[in-house]
Amino acid sequence: MTDKMLAAVFEGVGKLELKDVPVPQITKPDQVKIEVEAIGICGTDVHICSVPPGYIATPGTILGHEYVGRIVELGKSVSHLKLGDRVVVNPNDYCGTCVYCQNHLPTLCENIGAIGIDVDGAYAKYNVVSGKLAFRIDDSVPIEHGAFAEMLADVVNGTNKVRVQPGEYVVVIGAGPIGQLYAQMFKASGAGKVIIADTSPYRLEYSRKMGFDLVVNPLEEDLKEFVMRETGVGADVVVDAAGSVLPVAVDIARKGGKVVLFGVNTHAKAELKQSEITMKELQIFGSWLANGTFPAAVKVLESRKLDLDGLISHKIPLTDLHKGIDMLAKREAMKIIVFP
Ligand SMILES: [Zn+2]
Ligand SMILES: [Zn+2]
């Protein structure tokens, strides 16, 4: 008889089912088996579960991709980890052989297998992945902080592109968990001012609670006026964590400024004056997932420099996953951590 475990399985449009499934087994020598300790609910999970879906997952897949756990079994060829190690996981399994992987751009791999979207993920007691995706994290880091590793690795990829200098003025548009991490990372790097914009009163209030006073709701106040008043000439760096505000970002960036496009909204079609980018000599960066940035994210987590406890609005058991996803869909939560 095979052992069973409770898991959240995506069964097709709008259907996420909590049900018993067989405990996964190691089938390849490079794999590790992880006992999952905590998982963050991601906005992507919300998009996958909404009707119509905002993001496509493969039916039959266990969701959950932002997780931390302990190694309970090792494949024969895994030598960089040992039993009992706590690890965080890069959920984007790259092939290692396509032209991008061979050019050290695994994020852009042509054969990516997304754990928790197309390959079984972590809303369950156990998960089996290739050992190359698992990064050891020190036991001194609280379990629930480990669940931020994936998001943070993605954010570090974006912050690496703009390299904020001490004193610079930054605007973060979109004050969800990703925007909050960007804001905290910029503050930690010495930004002179961090301005946060969002249309959700809950998220703006949350930003204030997290110690950011320069918050603005563009529905109530002219964003450009606000930014010009605070920066004089426009922002040195703008992050679009919403995925749909490129024209706004271009408008509020100073001449020679930088813009990071992070959020993903596949329906967004930007209408803007291209000449503005040319004449302002703007640098615009796309930032997609983590690009070799898990080791750095682990170091940031181990440094305990970020206020992650403050970002956790709810902690719930796996059996309450549907409630958690609903709360996030209504934007009535910041980060929700799930315990299997
Ligand atoms: Zn995610
Ligand atoms: Zn590849």
Side-chain angles (χ1 to χ4, degrees), residues 42 44 65-66 150:
C42 177
T44 305
H65 61 269
E66 300 179 358
E150 195 261 331

Side-chain angles (χ1 to χ4, degrees), residues 40-45 65-66 91 117 150-151 154 178 289 335:
I41 304 182
C42 177
T44 305
D45 299 332
H65 61 269
E66 300 179 358
I117 295 173
E150 195 261 331
M151 283 170 60
D154 296 355
I178 287 286
L289 307 176
K335 198 68 194 174

Side-chain angles (χ1 to χ4, degrees), residues 3 12 29 31 85 87 104 107 116 124 150 209 214 277 284-285 292-293 305 312 317 325:
D3 287 337
Q31 290 177 328
D85 276 352
V87 292
H104 305 293
T107 302
E150 195 261 331
K209 268 200 327 215
L214 297 173
I277 298 173
I284 298 182
F285 301 90
T293 44
K305 285 237 160 57
I312 300 170
I325 289 177

Side-chain angles (χ1 to χ4, degrees), residues 13-311:
V13 177
K15 267 174 56 192
L16 181 65
E17 239 178 86
L18 280 170
K19 63 179 195 183
D20 280 334
V21 303
V23 169
Q25 306 296 334
I26 287 182
T27 56
K28 294 177 189 158
D30 71 315
Q31 290 177 328
V32 295
K33 183 169 172 180
I34 297 168
E35 181 172 4
V36 179
E37 292 178 296
I39 318 124
I41 304 182
C42 177
T44 305
D45 299 332
V46 178
H47 293 310
I48 290 170
C49 295
S50 58
V51 183
Y55 201 94
I56 306 298
T58 304
T61 305
I62 300 172
L63 299 189
H65 61 269
E66 300 179 358
Y67 60 109
V68 56
R70 277 201 196 274
I71 299 285
V72 291
E73 203 182 322
L74 294 159
K76 283 190 188 68
S77 70
V78 181
S79 56
H80 69 297
L81 296 167
K82 56 184 194 313
L83 286 180
D85 276 352
R86 178 170 283 157
V87 292
V88 294
V89 177
N90 173 2
N92 295 295
D93 194 358
Y94 51 95
C95 73
T97 55
C98 75
V99 64
Y100 293 107
C101 283
Q102 294 197 330
N103 281 288
H104 305 293
L105 295 166
T107 302
L108 305 178
C109 172
E110 299 200 279
N111 309 304
I112 248 170
I115 294 168
I117 295 173
D118 301 314
V119 181
D120 279 343
Y123 287 131
K125 190 164 185 307
Y126 296 102
N127 174 246
V128 169
V129 293
S130 166
K132 73 178 191 282
L133 304 170
F135 298 81
R136 208 187 80 79
I137 187 165
D138 199 82
D139 275 343
S140 63
V141 178
I143 294 168
E144 52 270 38
H145 290 197
F148 282 86
E150 195 261 331
M151 283 170 60
L152 188 58
D154 296 355
V155 166
V156 170
N157 184 21
T159 56
N160 279 351
K161 290 181 162 63
V162 286
R163 303 198 177 278
V164 163
Q165 302 299 304
E168 284 196 322
Y169 294 162
V170 181
V171 179
V172 177
I173 306 174
I178 287 286
Q180 299 288 338
L181 284 181
Y182 263 106
Q184 287 199 32
M185 285 291 283
F186 289 140
K187 193 172 172 183
S189 343
K193 287 184 182 180
V194 179
I195 297 168
I196 298 182
D198 201 293
T199 54
S200 153
Y202 173 85
R203 288 177 165 185
L204 290 176
E205 191 45 45
Y206 215 103
S207 308
R208 275 194 203 93
K209 268 200 327 215
M210 297 303 294
F212 294 94
D213 308 323
L214 297 173
V215 304
V216 51
N217 184 344
L219 297 179
E220 290 168 359
E221 207 172 336
D222 189 276
L223 175 62
K224 184 160 190 191
E225 269 174 32
F226 187 98
V227 171
M228 293 308 280
R229 193 167 66 234
E230 291 296 335
T231 62
V233 289
D236 297 295
V237 170
V238 183
V239 177
D240 172 2
S244 55
V245 293
L246 173 61
V248 178
V250 165
D251 193 35
I252 63 175
R254 69 158 166 85
K255 290 179 187 172
K258 298 170 188 168
V259 173
V260 190
L261 305 180
F262 184 98
V264 176
N265 175 342
T266 54
H267 302 294
K269 284 189 182 168
E271 217 173 89
L272 55 88
K273 261 199 193 164
Q274 187 173 321
S275 58
E276 225 189 308
I277 298 173
T278 314
M279 292 162 76
K280 284 172 88 171
E281 290 211 322
L282 294 181
Q283 297 182 69
I284 298 182
F285 301 90
S287 186
W288 179 233
L289 307 176
N291 206 347
T293 44
F294 260 82
V298 165
K299 284 183 195 165
V300 174
L301 291 175
E302 289 176 344
S303 79
R304 309 286 297 276
K305 285 237 160 57
L306 305 182
D307 179 1
L308 299 175
D309 291 327
L311 289 184

